[in-house]
Amino acid sequence: MTTDTIEPSQSRFQRLRRRLFYDDPSDETTLQPHLQEPLVKKAELWGFFLFGFGYYAWPNVCASLLLPIFIQGIARGASRLESDPSIVCPDVDDDIPHGDRCLVPFGWFRVTPTSYVLLLNVLAVWCTIFVTLGVSALADHGRISRRIMLAFSTSLCVVACLFFVGALKQEVWWFSGVTFVIAGILYGVTLNFYDAQIPILTRYHPDVVRARVVHGESSSEYIDAKVNIQTFLSGGASGVGYAGGLVLTVIAAIILLFTDASLLIVGYCVVMAGIYIFIFTVLYAKFSVQRTFPPLPPGSNVFTFGYKRIGKTIRKARKLKTLFYFLCTWFILGDGLYATSNMAILIAQDQLHLDNSSLIIAALVQFIFAGAGIVFWIWMQNSRGLSPLRTVIINSCLFGLIPVYCLLGLIESSPVGLKQEWELYLLAALFGFFMGAIYSSNRVVYAQFIPFGHENELFALYEMSSVSSSWIAPLICTAIIERASVRHTWWFLASQFFIPALMLVFVNVEKGRAEGVAFYQAEKMEGEDPMVSKGTVDIEDNSS
């Protein structure tokens, strides 16, 4: 092989390496003088995506797969017969007396193991809302947002290592429920801080700063640059998250396939997930950058400031009509996404009687198609001009067809409708293909409406609207299950996609962006500017 044939190959490799790892030196001289805070570097982007690779393994693997299996199994082992609470439920469902049920204590009530999992989610949701609202607005001040995010993420890793205790000692089965709630709180707060990085990294990204300096903030070039970078960050975070979930699922599948796949082993898999997330939390701590925000107003109480700040913003909701209308649609849509996944798993366990290995395979299928879906829909946006908002609308309608299909299972003579194992894998593929695009594109749309200096605060409302709705569907589904059957829940879940899709048709992105600018300008006029204006690009930027 001659040198002439080697050189082009090396040149391509070097160009790729520079694009992935090296910053443009000219940015420091042409762009940094316009900013008070540092430009986003490639190392910081690597830290952002590496954290997503590890951290999204929790919702994609633990919260949606391992923990429902684990918590329901623990509750099933502690359940007693409804007719005689002194008799422990048989291990095999066929041995349960006809007309009787297995019930487990939940506070002062006794519920089925399936309802126990759903009600734990309700409790975790409300606790998450309370804590998230208290700390989110604090992160928009001073230099503490990074430390808060790392503290909650590290705490989640520690709590994950305690789940196995409930399976190790049956008499403390309730301990798994307690850790489940605590883990939900820690996950929700960390996710809020992670999502809030998207508009911040966008604002200081060299491509966005360059478009602003050259063309001005009112130019189409600047708006297009922001949307492109937000799509890159949001879609990339979701994509690497599914990739990280795929890796963790493969590891868990190998462990479960070569062991007895008992509840204790599932608990050890959750411990492994905690260690897995901690590794990438350390990498994020190494590469991330803490930017400076203004200090808390004089006389502010750190314990009440977050609640007062968010309450004040909500009272001004009429100035951000599009943002709050969009939150209402996400309130419904996020509820449907969360509940549909749980219902599919519960039906697979209760009625199809599939083992853990089958659920692991379904999860693998979901992750593979979720990654493919994100790539496909980003390609549609870049090459076909499909806006992020239209992407959400199309995928919501397509997703709504999943519960419609499952309703066929109510027809006794129907051979389909989530009655066969292969249907679970098919639905997992469709679930992943549509869900990844909805999550990533939805964040891009919402980020365009956020006024400058309110990123963590308003992303807390974003996460709250999704998380807080997660208690509505479980309660409604629990009531349906108790009075009819688990399959009748699909009627309700179908509405959770078509209603928000219709509502999103009336969202005007340009109007929402203008409202965010006007909100920021009004704060400046009232002397409540969240940033101290110095005449630089990052300070003058009116919206995220």
Side-chain angles (χ1 to χ4, degrees):
M1 186 178 294
T2 64
T3 305
D4 293 337
T5 60
I6 297 176
E7 203 52 39
S9 175
Q10 290 182 336
S11 178
R12 285 194 297 270
F13 173 76
Q14 290 172 351
R15 286 198 298 270
L16 178 62
R17 187 174 63 174
R18 283 198 298 270
R19 185 175 180 181
L20 292 177
F21 301 105
Y22 293 96
D23 301 293
D24 187 348
S26 65
D27 290 344
E28 289 295 326
T29 57
T30 60
L31 302 180
Q32 187 60 60
H34 296 276
L35 301 170
Q36 286 190 329
E37 296 299 323
L39 277 168
V40 171
K41 303 293 181 64
K42 295 292 177 63
E44 187 176 5
L45 292 177
W46 274 103
F48 175 79
F49 288 125
L50 284 172
F51 184 84
F53 184 91
Y55 191 73
Y56 274 119
W58 184 264
N60 291 336
V61 181
C62 294
S64 63
L65 180 64
L66 294 178
L67 288 181
I69 295 172
F70 183 77
I71 298 298
Q72 187 177 24
I74 293 291
R76 178 66 173 79
S79 62
R80 305 295 180 99
L81 291 178
E82 182 179 22
S83 59
D84 188 352
S86 64
I87 300 177
V88 178
C89 270
D91 294 333
V92 181
D93 290 344
D94 293 339
D95 295 337
I96 299 176
H98 180 69
D100 212 344
R101 296 187 302 171
C102 293
L103 300 180
V104 66
F106 185 85
W108 295 275
F109 308 97
R110 298 179 67 220
V111 296
T112 64
T114 300
S115 298
Y116 178 78
V117 177
L118 296 175
L119 291 173
L120 275 181
N121 277 295
V122 173
L123 180 60
V125 162
W126 279 107
C127 293
T128 301
I129 293 172
F130 179 79
V131 177
T132 301
L133 292 181
V135 301
S136 59
L138 291 174
D140 288 323
H141 296 78
R143 295 177 56 86
I144 61 174
S145 60
R146 179 172 171 270
R147 280 181 288 175
I148 294 176
M149 177 176 167
L150 290 173
F152 276 88
S153 177
T154 304
S155 299
L156 175 63
C157 301
V158 174
V159 171
C161 295
L162 301 176
F163 268 97
F164 73 96
V165 174
L168 193 63
K169 295 184 177 181
Q170 185 63 42
E171 59 269 20
V172 291
W173 64 272
W174 51 267
F175 183 77
S176 297
V178 174
T179 51
F180 180 84
V181 173
I182 295 175
I185 297 170
L186 298 173
Y187 159 72
V189 175
T190 306
L191 181 62
N192 167 59
F193 281 83
Y194 183 70
D195 283 349
Q197 291 297 307
I198 293 175
I200 296 174
L201 293 176
T202 298
R203 185 188 312 133
Y204 296 107
H205 193 281
D207 292 352
V208 175
V209 176
R210 186 178 296 108
R212 181 183 172 87
V213 171
V214 176
H215 302 286
E217 70 170 14
S218 300
S219 65
S220 60
E221 289 83 0
Y222 172 65
I223 294 174
D224 290 342
K226 287 178 63 176
V227 173
N228 289 337
I229 295 302
Q230 286 170 343
T231 301
F232 165 70
L233 293 173
S234 183
S238 297
V240 298
Y242 287 119
L246 178 63
V247 171
L248 184 60
T249 304
V250 170
I251 297 173
I254 293 174
I255 294 175
L256 294 174
L257 288 174
F258 288 93
T259 61
D260 58 357
S262 64
L263 288 177
L264 184 58
I265 297 299
V266 176
Y268 287 148
C269 287
V270 177
V271 174
M272 178 191 65
I275 299 173
Y276 180 87
I277 295 171
F278 180 74
I279 293 172
F280 292 96
T281 299
V282 172
L283 293 175
Y284 175 79
K286 176 178 176 61
F287 294 118
S288 59
V289 175
Q290 174 65 66
R291 291 178 172 82
T292 302
F293 298 99
L296 287 174
S300 298
N301 187 314
V302 295
F303 297 106
T304 61
F305 175 78
Y307 302 105
K308 292 180 179 179
R309 174 76 182 271
I310 286 187
K312 189 174 184 179
T313 301
I314 293 176
R315 287 195 297 272
K316 298 179 180 179
R318 59 185 177 83
K319 298 181 180 180
L320 296 170
K321 293 180 180 178
T322 304
L323 183 145
F324 281 94
Y325 177 83
F326 189 82
L327 284 177
C328 292
T329 66
W330 182 233
F331 184 90
I332 303 172
L333 184 57
D335 195 18
L337 289 170
Y338 180 83
T340 301
S341 173
N342 281 346
M343 286 303 106
I345 293 176
L346 294 176
I347 289 176
Q349 288 180 302
D350 288 349
Q351 299 194 2
L352 301 184
H353 303 292
L354 299 182
D355 57 17
N356 294 342
S357 300
S358 298
L359 297 178
I360 292 289
I361 294 173
L364 291 174
V365 172
Q366 176 188 325
F367 295 145
I368 293 172
F369 277 85
I374 290 174
V375 173
F376 172 78
W377 290 106
I378 289 180
W379 173 79
M380 288 290 290
Q381 293 179 36
N382 294 335
S383 64
R384 305 298 179 184
L386 186 67
S387 68
L389 178 62
R390 289 190 178 273
T391 301
V392 177
I393 295 173
I394 293 172
N395 281 274
S396 297
C397 293
L398 294 174
F399 205 113
L401 297 177
I402 294 178
V404 171
Y405 172 84
C406 292
L407 282 171
L408 296 174
L410 290 173
I411 304 174
E412 293 185 8
S413 59
S414 174
V416 295
L418 197 51
K419 291 184 174 182
Q420 309 292 332
E421 183 175 351
W422 63 267
E423 291 180 281
L424 179 66
Y425 305 137
L426 173 63
L427 295 180
L430 296 175
F431 187 95
F433 193 81
F434 302 139
M435 182 182 66
I438 291 175
Y439 274 115
S440 61
S441 297
N442 211 68
R443 281 188 305 223
V444 173
V445 177
Y446 181 74
Q448 298 179 65
F449 304 150
I450 299 178
F452 185 55
H454 292 268
E455 291 82 8
N456 283 284
E457 172 191 347
L458 289 178
F459 257 109
L461 290 179
Y462 177 81
E463 297 300 337
M464 185 190 74
S465 65
S466 173
V467 175
S468 62
S469 66
S470 298
W471 68 271
I472 297 178
L475 279 183
I476 295 176
C477 290
T478 300
I480 295 173
I481 293 171
E482 295 292 328
R483 288 165 177 77
S485 71
V486 68
R487 290 190 178 275
H488 283 84
T489 60
W490 297 118
W491 289 105
F492 165 70
L493 294 175
S495 68
Q496 299 292 90
F497 298 98
F498 294 117
I499 291 176
L502 179 62
M503 294 174 64
L504 287 171
V505 172
F506 300 100
V507 172
N508 188 323
V509 176
E510 295 298 328
K511 179 183 176 182
R513 191 183 294 123
E515 289 172 351
V517 173
F519 186 92
Y520 174 75
Q521 295 290 356
E523 284 192 328
K524 291 175 64 176
M525 295 293 293
E526 296 171 2
E528 300 177 5
D529 187 353
M531 298 294 170
V532 182
S533 180
K534 296 290 186 180
T536 53
V537 170
D538 56 325
I539 300 305
E540 292 176 353
D541 189 4
N542 297 332
S543 66
S544 297

